[in-house]
Amino acid sequence: MLRFLCLALALLLVSCASSEERHRYVELDTVKTRVSPSPEFRGAGMPVDNKTILLEGHVSYRGELNAEPSKGKKQENYRLVYNLGNTPVEGAFSALFKGEGAFFKITTGADLYPFLGLIFGVNQKNFEVGGFIFDQFWDRTYRIKGTMHETTTYYSKTEGTSIACLWDNDFCKVDSVVTNEQNYDYEEYLRTHYYGLGLFASVFVGKFVLEYSGSFYTPKITEEPEVEGVKIDDELPLVTTQRFSLGYNITPNYSVRFGGIHVAGDFDGSYWALSADFTYRIVFPKKRAAPSRLSAP
């Protein structure tokens, strides 16, 4: 038995069996994706009494942005190209809490994918102003084009090679190196977040409301591509969204708005789309003290 084991070891040490090691990386040429207008965040849209809670639901219809594919900024190693587009419907639910003039509002909804915003502002009889921060989740399609570089190194385990070669190729003799290049073109879904902030202002003229909001965000990719050797920068171009609208409060509970959306940023051109909105509100006003009864003389 011992003689057999010694013979097997000797054959292993003098054998010409080879192993290989492969390295791949993609030299990116272009990455194509899509960006959209940011979700809408605003104030109450009407004068609100102090110490009031306002619950609100709204749904918006938006026309398609008039945009062809737009070149983004040149990244470190590739060109970013994307389409500007948007879903036609956005819906959201909000809860507003007003104290002595100032208010806090939280809004959550969906613009194909969910978003969340925190709004702070001041609401007065004739106007309101404030700011907001938000995060919107996206699952984006990234079209990745480039050149796949592949290097395969073959190692020889011949007589005279260190015994360490049996488990570590760094101690082996290189037999040959083969390189290969081919065009690379594929699509991948990557989780993306829009982290942004903005400002808003409204003017109340009777039942009419003039509203403006402006925001900006930068898409951030929060997961790595699955394909070996692909690295996409997560510092993507800035996108700005401005909204202008004229609203009418039919009653304190119902309102309609019509306006436009303007999208621009660190890419060629700027783009417009029309929008329409219907809002329903439930108002819980402050409790008023009951009148005191005077006792009869």
Side-chain angles (χ1 to χ4, degrees):
M1 183 65 178
L2 180 59
R3 183 178 300 177
F4 175 78
L5 292 176
C6 292
L7 179 60
L9 180 60
L11 290 174
L12 176 63
L13 293 176
V14 300
S15 67
C16 292
S18 63
S19 62
E20 64 183 58
E21 193 171 57
R22 181 173 301 168
H23 296 282
R24 299 190 303 172
Y25 75 94
V26 176
E27 182 182 2
L28 294 178
D29 178 38
T30 59
V31 175
K32 182 183 293 186
T33 186
R34 187 181 70 146
V35 294
S36 301
S38 64
E40 182 178 17
F41 302 98
R42 52 194 171 96
M46 67 177 188
V48 177
D49 291 336
N50 293 334
K51 299 181 181 178
T52 293
I53 298 176
L54 187 151
L55 302 181
E56 172 188 296
H58 84 265
V59 59
S60 299
Y61 174 80
R62 303 173 303 194
E64 180 69 21
L65 284 171
N66 181 20
E68 296 296 326
S70 304
K71 291 184 178 180
K73 67 179 182 180
K74 173 70 175 178
Q75 304 296 81
E76 182 178 355
N77 298 313
Y78 62 90
R79 169 67 64 180
L80 177 68
V81 180
Y82 41 47
N83 293 319
L84 278 78
N86 59 279
T87 54
V89 178
E90 171 191 326
F93 173 80
S94 304
L96 181 148
F97 308 89
K98 182 181 177 183
E100 297 295 333
F103 68 85
F104 165 73
K105 184 179 181 182
I106 181 170
T107 296
T108 181
D111 181 0
L112 186 60
Y113 288 95
F115 60 80
L116 175 68
L118 303 178
I119 303 104
F120 305 87
V122 175
N123 180 279
Q124 299 294 331
K125 180 179 179 180
N126 298 314
F127 71 93
E128 64 181 359
V129 294
F132 53 86
I133 58 175
F134 66 91
D135 175 23
Q136 183 175 19
F137 169 83
W138 276 95
D139 188 6
R140 286 298 193 198
T141 300
Y142 288 82
R143 179 78 175 271
I144 299 170
K145 294 184 178 182
T147 302
M148 169 67 80
H149 299 270
E150 183 177 271
T151 301
T152 305
T153 303
Y154 295 93
Y155 297 94
S156 295
K157 297 179 174 63
T158 59
E159 183 178 3
T161 302
S162 169
I163 192 172
C165 175
L166 295 175
W167 59 82
D168 190 341
N169 283 334
D170 290 339
F171 296 94
C172 297
K173 293 181 179 179
V174 176
D175 184 42
S176 61
V177 178
V178 178
T179 60
N180 181 41
E181 294 182 0
Q182 59 181 342
N183 292 331
Y184 206 65
D185 186 351
Y186 82 107
E187 291 186 350
E188 185 168 356
Y189 293 91
L190 298 176
R191 287 193 300 272
T192 306
H193 281 264
Y194 293 170
Y195 297 112
L197 53 85
L199 301 170
F200 69 88
S202 303
V203 177
F204 311 133
V205 183
K207 291 187 175 183
F208 290 93
V209 184
L210 291 173
E211 292 185 314
Y212 167 80
S213 70
S215 64
F216 62 88
Y217 70 84
T218 297
K220 182 175 179 60
I221 301 172
T222 56
E223 66 176 345
E224 295 292 336
E226 293 182 358
V227 175
E228 178 185 354
V230 174
K231 174 64 176 178
I232 300 178
D233 296 340
D234 60 1
E235 296 181 359
L236 302 183
L238 185 72
V239 180
T240 65
T241 304
Q242 298 185 82
R243 299 172 186 266
F244 307 86
S245 65
L246 173 63
Y248 182 75
N249 291 311
I250 303 170
T251 71
N253 301 105
Y254 300 95
S255 69
V256 293
R257 291 183 304 136
F258 300 93
I261 302 172
H262 177 262
V263 179
D266 193 5
F267 47 81
D268 297 338
S270 60
Y271 308 92
W272 285 92
L274 297 177
S275 65
D277 175 277
F278 174 77
T279 301
Y280 174 73
R281 308 183 186 94
I282 301 176
V283 182
F284 298 94
K286 65 180 181 178
K287 295 182 179 179
R288 301 183 182 277
S292 60
R293 294 184 179 181
L294 300 178
S295 57

Short mmCIF file of all heavy atoms in Angstrom, two decimals, residues 44-107:
data_model
loop_
_atom_site.label_atom_id
_atom_site.label_comp_id
_atom_site.label_asym_id
_atom_site.label_seq_id
_atom_site.Cartn_x
_atom_site.Cartn_y
_atom_site.Cartn_z
N ALA A 44 -50.22 72.88 1.42
CA ALA A 44 -51.63 72.55 1.59
C ALA A 44 -52.45 72.91 0.36
O ALA A 44 -53.50 72.31 0.12
CB ALA A 44 -52.19 73.25 2.82
N GLY A 45 -52.03 73.92 -0.39
CA GLY A 45 -52.78 74.34 -1.55
C GLY A 45 -53.96 75.23 -1.23
O GLY A 45 -54.75 75.56 -2.12
N MET A 46 -54.08 75.66 0.02
CA MET A 46 -55.14 76.57 0.45
C MET A 46 -54.80 77.06 1.85
O MET A 46 -53.95 76.46 2.54
CB MET A 46 -56.50 75.85 0.46
CG MET A 46 -56.60 74.77 1.49
SD MET A 46 -58.24 74.00 1.52
CE MET A 46 -58.10 72.96 2.97
N PRO A 47 -55.42 78.16 2.30
CA PRO A 47 -55.17 78.61 3.68
C PRO A 47 -55.69 77.55 4.67
O PRO A 47 -56.76 76.98 4.49
CB PRO A 47 -55.97 79.90 3.79
CG PRO A 47 -56.23 80.33 2.38
CD PRO A 47 -56.32 79.08 1.58
N VAL A 48 -54.91 77.30 5.70
CA VAL A 48 -55.27 76.30 6.71
C VAL A 48 -55.18 76.94 8.09
O VAL A 48 -54.21 77.65 8.40
CB VAL A 48 -54.32 75.08 6.64
CG1 VAL A 48 -54.66 74.08 7.74
CG2 VAL A 48 -54.43 74.40 5.28
N ASP A 49 -56.19 76.71 8.92
CA ASP A 49 -56.17 77.25 10.28
C ASP A 49 -55.05 76.63 11.10
O ASP A 49 -54.61 75.51 10.82
CB ASP A 49 -57.51 76.98 10.98
CG ASP A 49 -58.66 77.78 10.37
OD1 ASP A 49 -58.37 78.84 9.77
OD2 ASP A 49 -59.81 77.34 10.49
N ASN A 50 -54.61 77.37 12.10
CA ASN A 50 -53.63 76.81 13.03
C ASN A 50 -54.21 75.62 13.77
O ASN A 50 -55.44 75.50 13.93
CB ASN A 50 -53.18 77.87 14.03
CG ASN A 50 -52.38 78.98 13.37
OD1 ASN A 50 -51.75 78.77 12.32
ND2 ASN A 50 -52.38 80.16 13.96
N LYS A 51 -53.35 74.74 14.23
CA LYS A 51 -53.74 73.54 14.97
C LYS A 51 -54.74 72.71 14.18
O LYS A 51 -55.80 72.33 14.68
CB LYS A 51 -54.30 73.92 16.34
CG LYS A 51 -53.30 74.65 17.22
CD LYS A 51 -53.88 74.99 18.58
CE LYS A 51 -52.85 75.74 19.44
NZ LYS A 51 -53.39 76.12 20.76
N THR A 52 -54.36 72.44 12.93
CA THR A 52 -55.21 71.67 12.01
C THR A 52 -54.46 70.46 11.49
O THR A 52 -53.25 70.50 11.25
CB THR A 52 -55.66 72.54 10.83
OG1 THR A 52 -56.53 73.57 11.30
CG2 THR A 52 -56.40 71.72 9.78
N ILE A 53 -55.21 69.37 11.32
CA ILE A 53 -54.69 68.19 10.66
C ILE A 53 -55.42 68.05 9.32
O ILE A 53 -56.65 68.11 9.27
CB ILE A 53 -54.90 66.92 11.50
CG1 ILE A 53 -54.14 67.03 12.83
CG2 ILE A 53 -54.46 65.68 10.73
CD1 ILE A 53 -54.38 65.87 13.76
N LEU A 54 -54.66 67.86 8.25
CA LEU A 54 -55.25 67.76 6.91
C LEU A 54 -54.76 66.47 6.26
O LEU A 54 -53.55 66.26 6.13
CB LEU A 54 -54.85 68.98 6.07
CG LEU A 54 -55.50 69.15 4.70
CD1 LEU A 54 -55.59 70.62 4.34
CD2 LEU A 54 -54.69 68.41 3.63
N LEU A 55 -55.69 65.61 5.88
CA LEU A 55 -55.37 64.39 5.14
C LEU A 55 -55.73 64.62 3.67
O LEU A 55 -56.80 65.16 3.37
CB LEU A 55 -56.14 63.20 5.70
CG LEU A 55 -55.92 62.88 7.19
CD1 LEU A 55 -56.73 61.66 7.58
CD2 LEU A 55 -54.44 62.67 7.49
N GLU A 56 -54.86 64.18 2.79
CA GLU A 56 -55.03 64.51 1.37
C GLU A 56 -54.64 63.34 0.49
O GLU A 56 -53.67 62.63 0.75
CB GLU A 56 -54.15 65.72 1.05
CG GLU A 56 -54.05 66.07 -0.43
CD GLU A 56 -53.01 67.15 -0.67
OE1 GLU A 56 -53.21 68.28 -0.17
OE2 GLU A 56 -51.99 66.86 -1.33
N GLY A 57 -55.41 63.14 -0.56
CA GLY A 57 -55.06 62.19 -1.60
C GLY A 57 -55.18 62.86 -2.95
O GLY A 57 -56.12 63.63 -3.18
N HIS A 58 -54.23 62.62 -3.82
CA HIS A 58 -54.32 63.24 -5.15
C HIS A 58 -53.82 62.27 -6.21
O HIS A 58 -53.00 61.38 -5.95
CB HIS A 58 -53.55 64.56 -5.21
CG HIS A 58 -52.08 64.41 -5.49
ND1 HIS A 58 -51.13 64.36 -4.51
CD2 HIS A 58 -51.39 64.29 -6.67
CE1 HIS A 58 -49.94 64.22 -5.05
NE2 HIS A 58 -50.07 64.17 -6.36
N VAL A 59 -54.32 62.47 -7.41
CA VAL A 59 -53.88 61.69 -8.57
C VAL A 59 -53.61 62.68 -9.70
O VAL A 59 -54.38 63.63 -9.91
CB VAL A 59 -54.94 60.64 -8.98
CG1 VAL A 59 -56.27 61.29 -9.32
CG2 VAL A 59 -54.43 59.79 -10.12
N SER A 60 -52.51 62.49 -10.41
CA SER A 60 -52.10 63.40 -11.47
C SER A 60 -51.97 62.64 -12.78
O SER A 60 -51.49 61.50 -12.81
CB SER A 60 -50.76 64.07 -11.14
OG SER A 60 -50.85 64.82 -9.95
N TYR A 61 -52.37 63.31 -13.84
CA TYR A 61 -52.13 62.80 -15.18
C TYR A 61 -51.10 63.70 -15.85
O TYR A 61 -51.20 64.93 -15.79
CB TYR A 61 -53.40 62.77 -16.02
CG TYR A 61 -53.13 62.38 -17.46
CD1 TYR A 61 -52.95 61.06 -17.82
CD2 TYR A 61 -53.01 63.38 -18.44
CE1 TYR A 61 -52.67 60.71 -19.14
CE2 TYR A 61 -52.72 63.03 -19.76
CZ TYR A 61 -52.56 61.70 -20.09
OH TYR A 61 -52.26 61.36 -21.39
N ARG A 62 -50.12 63.10 -16.52
CA ARG A 62 -49.06 63.88 -17.15
C ARG A 62 -48.88 63.41 -18.59
O ARG A 62 -48.90 62.21 -18.87
CB ARG A 62 -47.74 63.70 -16.40
CG ARG A 62 -47.85 64.10 -14.94
CD ARG A 62 -46.59 63.76 -14.19
NE ARG A 62 -46.27 62.34 -14.29
CZ ARG A 62 -45.39 61.73 -13.52
NH1 ARG A 62 -44.73 62.42 -12.62
NH2 ARG A 62 -45.14 60.45 -13.65
N GLY A 63 -48.70 64.37 -19.48
CA GLY A 63 -48.40 64.02 -20.86
C GLY A 63 -46.97 63.50 -20.97
O GLY A 63 -46.13 63.70 -20.09
N GLU A 64 -46.69 62.83 -22.08
CA GLU A 64 -45.35 62.30 -22.30
C GLU A 64 -44.38 63.43 -22.57
O GLU A 64 -44.66 64.36 -23.32
CB GLU A 64 -45.36 61.34 -23.49
CG GLU A 64 -44.01 60.72 -23.81
CD GLU A 64 -43.56 59.72 -22.74
OE1 GLU A 64 -44.43 59.22 -21.99
OE2 GLU A 64 -42.35 59.46 -22.66
N LEU A 65 -43.22 63.38 -21.91
CA LEU A 65 -42.20 64.38 -22.17
C LEU A 65 -41.77 64.33 -23.64
O LEU A 65 -41.54 63.26 -24.19
CB LEU A 65 -40.97 64.12 -21.29
CG LEU A 65 -41.10 64.51 -19.82
CD1 LEU A 65 -39.90 63.99 -19.05
CD2 LEU A 65 -41.19 66.01 -19.67
N ASN A 66 -41.69 65.48 -24.25
CA ASN A 66 -41.29 65.57 -25.65
C ASN A 66 -39.78 65.52 -25.72
O ASN A 66 -39.09 66.54 -25.77
CB ASN A 66 -41.82 66.87 -26.27
CG ASN A 66 -41.46 66.98 -27.74
OD1 ASN A 66 -41.15 66.00 -28.39
ND2 ASN A 66 -41.49 68.20 -28.24
N ALA A 67 -39.19 64.30 -25.69
CA ALA A 67 -37.74 64.18 -25.61
C ALA A 67 -37.24 62.98 -26.40
O ALA A 67 -37.76 61.89 -26.29
CB ALA A 67 -37.32 64.03 -24.15
N GLU A 68 -36.23 63.23 -27.19
CA GLU A 68 -35.49 62.16 -27.84
C GLU A 68 -34.35 61.73 -26.91
O GLU A 68 -34.07 62.39 -25.91
CB GLU A 68 -34.91 62.67 -29.17
CG GLU A 68 -35.98 63.04 -30.19
CD GLU A 68 -36.81 61.84 -30.62
OE1 GLU A 68 -36.24 60.74 -30.69
OE2 GLU A 68 -38.00 62.02 -30.89
N PRO A 69 -33.69 60.61 -27.21
CA PRO A 69 -32.55 60.21 -26.37
C PRO A 69 -31.54 61.35 -26.25
O PRO A 69 -31.20 61.99 -27.22
CB PRO A 69 -31.96 59.02 -27.12
CG PRO A 69 -33.11 58.46 -27.88
CD PRO A 69 -33.95 59.63 -28.27
N SER A 70 -31.09 61.61 -25.03
CA SER A 70 -30.21 62.74 -24.76
C SER A 70 -28.88 62.26 -24.23
O SER A 70 -28.84 61.38 -23.37
CB SER A 70 -30.86 63.68 -23.73
OG SER A 70 -32.13 64.09 -24.17
N LYS A 71 -27.81 62.85 -24.71
CA LYS A 71 -26.49 62.48 -24.23
C LYS A 71 -26.24 63.13 -22.88
O LYS A 71 -26.41 64.33 -22.72
CB LYS A 71 -25.42 62.89 -25.22
CG LYS A 71 -25.44 62.11 -26.52
CD LYS A 71 -24.29 62.51 -27.41
CE LYS A 71 -24.29 61.69 -28.70
NZ LYS A 71 -23.18 62.07 -29.59
N GLY A 72 -25.81 62.33 -21.93
CA GLY A 72 -25.44 62.87 -20.64
C GLY A 72 -23.97 63.25 -20.64
O GLY A 72 -23.29 63.23 -21.67
N LYS A 73 -23.47 63.56 -19.48
CA LYS A 73 -22.08 63.99 -19.39
C LYS A 73 -21.15 62.80 -19.63
O LYS A 73 -21.51 61.64 -19.43
CB LYS A 73 -21.80 64.60 -18.02
CG LYS A 73 -21.87 63.63 -16.86
CD LYS A 73 -21.54 64.33 -15.55
CE LYS A 73 -21.56 63.35 -14.39
NZ LYS A 73 -21.27 63.99 -13.11
N LYS A 74 -19.94 63.12 -20.05
CA LYS A 74 -18.92 62.10 -20.25
C LYS A 74 -18.43 61.62 -18.88
O LYS A 74 -17.93 62.39 -18.07
CB LYS A 74 -17.76 62.69 -21.05
CG LYS A 74 -16.54 61.78 -21.18
CD LYS A 74 -16.82 60.59 -22.09
CE LYS A 74 -15.56 59.78 -22.29
NZ LYS A 74 -15.77 58.59 -23.13
N GLN A 75 -18.62 60.31 -18.62
CA GLN A 75 -18.10 59.76 -17.38
C GLN A 75 -16.59 59.56 -17.51
O GLN A 75 -16.00 59.86 -18.54
CB GLN A 75 -18.79 58.42 -17.08
CG GLN A 75 -20.31 58.51 -17.01
CD GLN A 75 -20.80 59.39 -15.88
OE1 GLN A 75 -20.84 60.61 -16.00
NE2 GLN A 75 -21.17 58.79 -14.77
N GLU A 76 -15.98 59.05 -16.50
CA GLU A 76 -14.53 58.90 -16.52
C GLU A 76 -14.07 58.01 -17.67
O GLU A 76 -13.08 58.29 -18.33
CB GLU A 76 -14.05 58.33 -15.18
CG GLU A 76 -12.53 58.18 -15.11
CD GLU A 76 -12.07 57.67 -13.76
OE1 GLU A 76 -12.92 57.52 -12.85
OE2 GLU A 76 -10.86 57.41 -13.62
N ASN A 77 -14.81 56.92 -17.93
CA ASN A 77 -14.37 55.96 -18.93
C ASN A 77 -15.40 55.66 -20.01
O ASN A 77 -15.16 54.80 -20.85
CB ASN A 77 -13.98 54.64 -18.25
CG ASN A 77 -12.82 54.82 -17.29
OD1 ASN A 77 -11.83 55.45 -17.62
ND2 ASN A 77 -12.96 54.29 -16.08
N TYR A 78 -16.56 56.31 -20.00
CA TYR A 78 -17.58 55.98 -20.98
C TYR A 78 -18.55 57.14 -21.13
O TYR A 78 -18.52 58.13 -20.38
CB TYR A 78 -18.33 54.71 -20.58
CG TYR A 78 -19.08 54.81 -19.27
CD1 TYR A 78 -20.40 55.24 -19.23
CD2 TYR A 78 -18.47 54.48 -18.07
CE1 TYR A 78 -21.08 55.35 -18.05
CE2 TYR A 78 -19.14 54.58 -16.87
CZ TYR A 78 -20.45 55.01 -16.87
OH TYR A 78 -21.14 55.12 -15.68
N ARG A 79 -19.44 57.02 -22.12
CA ARG A 79 -20.46 58.03 -22.38
C ARG A 79 -21.79 57.55 -21.83
O ARG A 79 -22.22 56.42 -22.11
CB ARG A 79 -20.56 58.28 -23.88
CG ARG A 79 -21.76 59.11 -24.31
CD ARG A 79 -21.69 60.54 -23.84
NE ARG A 79 -20.57 61.28 -24.41
CZ ARG A 79 -20.32 62.55 -24.14
NH1 ARG A 79 -21.08 63.21 -23.30
NH2 ARG A 79 -19.29 63.15 -24.70
N LEU A 80 -22.44 58.39 -21.04
CA LEU A 80 -23.77 58.08 -20.51
C LEU A 80 -24.83 58.66 -21.44
O LEU A 80 -24.78 59.83 -21.81
CB LEU A 80 -23.95 58.64 -19.11
CG LEU A 80 -25.32 58.44 -18.48
CD1 LEU A 80 -25.55 56.96 -18.19
CD2 LEU A 80 -25.46 59.25 -17.21
N VAL A 81 -25.77 57.83 -21.86
CA VAL A 81 -26.86 58.25 -22.75
C VAL A 81 -28.17 57.83 -22.11
O VAL A 81 -28.30 56.69 -21.65
CB VAL A 81 -26.73 57.60 -24.15
CG1 VAL A 81 -27.87 58.05 -25.05
CG2 VAL A 81 -25.39 57.95 -24.76
N TYR A 82 -29.16 58.75 -22.08
CA TYR A 82 -30.44 58.30 -21.57
C TYR A 82 -31.64 58.99 -22.19
O TYR A 82 -31.53 60.08 -22.74
CB TYR A 82 -30.52 58.40 -20.05
CG TYR A 82 -29.97 59.61 -19.38
CD1 TYR A 82 -30.24 60.89 -19.83
CD2 TYR A 82 -29.18 59.46 -18.27
CE1 TYR A 82 -29.75 61.99 -19.16
CE2 TYR A 82 -28.68 60.56 -17.60
CZ TYR A 82 -28.96 61.82 -18.05
OH TYR A 82 -28.46 62.91 -17.39
N ASN A 83 -32.76 58.28 -22.08
CA ASN A 83 -34.04 58.82 -22.51
C ASN A 83 -34.70 59.49 -21.32
O ASN A 83 -34.61 59.01 -20.19
CB ASN A 83 -34.97 57.71 -23.02
CG ASN A 83 -34.45 57.09 -24.29
OD1 ASN A 83 -33.96 57.79 -25.16
ND2 ASN A 83 -34.54 55.77 -24.38
N LEU A 84 -35.41 60.58 -21.59
CA LEU A 84 -36.25 61.18 -20.57
C LEU A 84 -37.66 60.69 -20.81
O LEU A 84 -38.19 60.80 -21.91
CB LEU A 84 -36.20 62.70 -20.64
CG LEU A 84 -35.01 63.35 -19.94
CD1 LEU A 84 -33.77 63.24 -20.80
CD2 LEU A 84 -35.31 64.79 -19.62
N GLY A 85 -38.27 60.15 -19.79
CA GLY A 85 -39.62 59.62 -19.94
C GLY A 85 -40.35 59.65 -18.61
O GLY A 85 -39.76 59.88 -17.57
N ASN A 86 -41.63 59.43 -18.65
CA ASN A 86 -42.41 59.42 -17.41
C ASN A 86 -43.66 58.58 -17.59
O ASN A 86 -44.16 58.43 -18.71
CB ASN A 86 -42.80 60.85 -17.00
CG ASN A 86 -43.62 61.56 -18.06
OD1 ASN A 86 -43.08 62.08 -19.02
ND2 ASN A 86 -44.93 61.58 -17.88
N THR A 87 -44.12 58.02 -16.49
CA THR A 87 -45.40 57.32 -16.52
C THR A 87 -46.52 58.35 -16.55
O THR A 87 -46.36 59.47 -16.05
CB THR A 87 -45.54 56.43 -15.28
OG1 THR A 87 -45.34 57.23 -14.10
CG2 THR A 87 -44.51 55.32 -15.30
N PRO A 88 -47.68 58.04 -17.13
CA PRO A 88 -48.74 59.04 -17.26
C PRO A 88 -49.47 59.36 -15.96
O PRO A 88 -50.09 60.42 -15.86
CB PRO A 88 -49.69 58.41 -18.28
CG PRO A 88 -49.46 56.95 -18.15
CD PRO A 88 -48.01 56.79 -17.83
N VAL A 89 -49.39 58.48 -14.97
CA VAL A 89 -50.19 58.67 -13.75
C VAL A 89 -49.29 58.63 -12.52
O VAL A 89 -48.41 57.78 -12.40
CB VAL A 89 -51.29 57.60 -13.62
CG1 VAL A 89 -52.07 57.78 -12.32
CG2 VAL A 89 -52.24 57.66 -14.81
N GLU A 90 -49.51 59.56 -11.61
CA GLU A 90 -48.85 59.58 -10.31
C GLU A 90 -49.91 59.75 -9.24
O GLU A 90 -50.84 60.54 -9.40
CB GLU A 90 -47.85 60.74 -10.23
CG GLU A 90 -47.26 60.96 -8.84
CD GLU A 90 -46.49 62.26 -8.75
OE1 GLU A 90 -45.86 62.66 -9.74
OE2 GLU A 90 -46.52 62.89 -7.67
N GLY A 91 -49.81 59.00 -8.16
CA GLY A 91 -50.76 59.11 -7.06
C GLY A 91 -50.04 59.17 -5.73
O GLY A 91 -48.96 58.60 -5.57
N ALA A 92 -50.63 59.88 -4.77
CA ALA A 92 -49.96 60.04 -3.47
C ALA A 92 -50.99 60.30 -2.38
O ALA A 92 -52.09 60.78 -2.63
CB ALA A 92 -48.94 61.16 -3.51
N PHE A 93 -50.58 59.98 -1.15
CA PHE A 93 -51.38 60.29 0.05
C PHE A 93 -50.50 61.10 0.99
O PHE A 93 -49.30 60.81 1.14
CB PHE A 93 -51.83 59.00 0.74
CG PHE A 93 -52.49 59.24 2.06
CD1 PHE A 93 -53.82 59.63 2.13
CD2 PHE A 93 -51.78 59.09 3.24
CE1 PHE A 93 -54.43 59.87 3.35
CE2 PHE A 93 -52.39 59.31 4.47
CZ PHE A 93 -53.71 59.70 4.53
N SER A 94 -51.09 62.12 1.62
CA SER A 94 -50.34 63.01 2.49
C SER A 94 -51.07 63.26 3.79
O SER A 94 -52.30 63.20 3.86
CB SER A 94 -50.07 64.37 1.81
OG SER A 94 -49.43 64.20 0.57
N ALA A 95 -50.29 63.56 4.81
CA ALA A 95 -50.83 64.00 6.10
C ALA A 95 -50.08 65.26 6.51
O ALA A 95 -48.85 65.27 6.56
CB ALA A 95 -50.66 62.91 7.16
N LEU A 96 -50.84 66.34 6.75
CA LEU A 96 -50.26 67.64 7.10
C LEU A 96 -50.66 68.00 8.53
O LEU A 96 -51.83 67.86 8.91
CB LEU A 96 -50.72 68.70 6.12
CG LEU A 96 -50.21 70.13 6.29
CD1 LEU A 96 -50.08 70.82 4.94
CD2 LEU A 96 -51.12 70.97 7.19
N PHE A 97 -49.70 68.50 9.29
CA PHE A 97 -49.94 68.92 10.67
C PHE A 97 -49.47 70.36 10.81
O PHE A 97 -48.28 70.66 10.65
CB PHE A 97 -49.17 68.03 11.64
CG PHE A 97 -49.41 66.56 11.44
CD1 PHE A 97 -48.61 65.82 10.56
CD2 PHE A 97 -50.45 65.91 12.10
CE1 PHE A 97 -48.84 64.47 10.37
CE2 PHE A 97 -50.69 64.56 11.91
CZ PHE A 97 -49.88 63.84 11.03
N LYS A 98 -50.40 71.27 11.09
CA LYS A 98 -50.07 72.69 11.19
C LYS A 98 -50.16 73.16 12.63
O LYS A 98 -51.15 72.89 13.32
CB LYS A 98 -50.98 73.54 10.31
CG LYS A 98 -50.61 75.03 10.35
CD LYS A 98 -51.51 75.88 9.51
CE LYS A 98 -51.14 77.35 9.65
NZ LYS A 98 -52.04 78.25 8.90
N GLY A 99 -49.13 73.87 13.05
CA GLY A 99 -49.13 74.47 14.38
C GLY A 99 -49.48 75.94 14.28
O GLY A 99 -50.47 76.31 13.67
N GLU A 100 -48.64 76.80 14.84
CA GLU A 100 -48.86 78.24 14.79
C GLU A 100 -48.17 78.82 13.54
O GLU A 100 -47.10 79.39 13.60
CB GLU A 100 -48.31 78.90 16.05
CG GLU A 100 -48.99 78.47 17.33
CD GLU A 100 -50.46 78.89 17.38
OE1 GLU A 100 -50.82 79.91 16.72
OE2 GLU A 100 -51.25 78.20 18.05
N GLY A 101 -48.78 78.64 12.40
CA GLY A 101 -48.24 79.16 11.15
C GLY A 101 -47.41 78.14 10.38
O GLY A 101 -47.57 77.97 9.18
N ALA A 102 -46.49 77.46 11.07
CA ALA A 102 -45.64 76.48 10.42
C ALA A 102 -46.34 75.13 10.32
O ALA A 102 -47.24 74.82 11.12
CB ALA A 102 -44.32 76.34 11.17
N PHE A 103 -45.93 74.32 9.34
CA PHE A 103 -46.54 72.99 9.20
C PHE A 103 -45.49 71.98 8.79
O PHE A 103 -44.43 72.30 8.24
CB PHE A 103 -47.70 73.02 8.19
CG PHE A 103 -47.28 73.24 6.77
CD1 PHE A 103 -46.87 72.19 5.95
CD2 PHE A 103 -47.30 74.51 6.21
CE1 PHE A 103 -46.49 72.40 4.64
CE2 PHE A 103 -46.92 74.73 4.90
CZ PHE A 103 -46.51 73.67 4.11
N PHE A 104 -45.82 70.74 9.06
CA PHE A 104 -45.02 69.59 8.64
C PHE A 104 -45.93 68.66 7.86
O PHE A 104 -47.08 68.43 8.24
CB PHE A 104 -44.44 68.86 9.86
CG PHE A 104 -43.92 67.49 9.55
CD1 PHE A 104 -42.75 67.32 8.85
CD2 PHE A 104 -44.63 66.36 9.94
CE1 PHE A 104 -42.27 66.05 8.55
CE2 PHE A 104 -44.16 65.09 9.66
CZ PHE A 104 -42.98 64.94 8.96
N LYS A 105 -45.43 68.09 6.78
CA LYS A 105 -46.24 67.24 5.92
C LYS A 105 -45.40 66.05 5.47
O LYS A 105 -44.22 66.19 5.15
CB LYS A 105 -46.72 68.03 4.70
CG LYS A 105 -47.67 67.27 3.76
CD LYS A 105 -48.11 68.18 2.61
CE LYS A 105 -49.08 67.49 1.66
NZ LYS A 105 -49.47 68.36 0.52
N ILE A 106 -46.01 64.89 5.46
CA ILE A 106 -45.36 63.69 4.96
C ILE A 106 -46.18 63.16 3.79
O ILE A 106 -47.42 63.09 3.88
CB ILE A 106 -45.19 62.63 6.06
CG1 ILE A 106 -44.47 61.40 5.51
CG2 ILE A 106 -46.52 62.25 6.70
CD1 ILE A 106 -44.05 60.41 6.57
N THR A 107 -45.52 62.84 2.70
CA THR A 107 -46.20 62.38 1.48
C THR A 107 -45.57 61.07 1.02
O THR A 107 -44.34 60.95 0.95
CB THR A 107 -46.07 63.41 0.35
OG1 THR A 107 -46.73 64.61 0.72
CG2 THR A 107 -46.69 62.88 -0.94
#
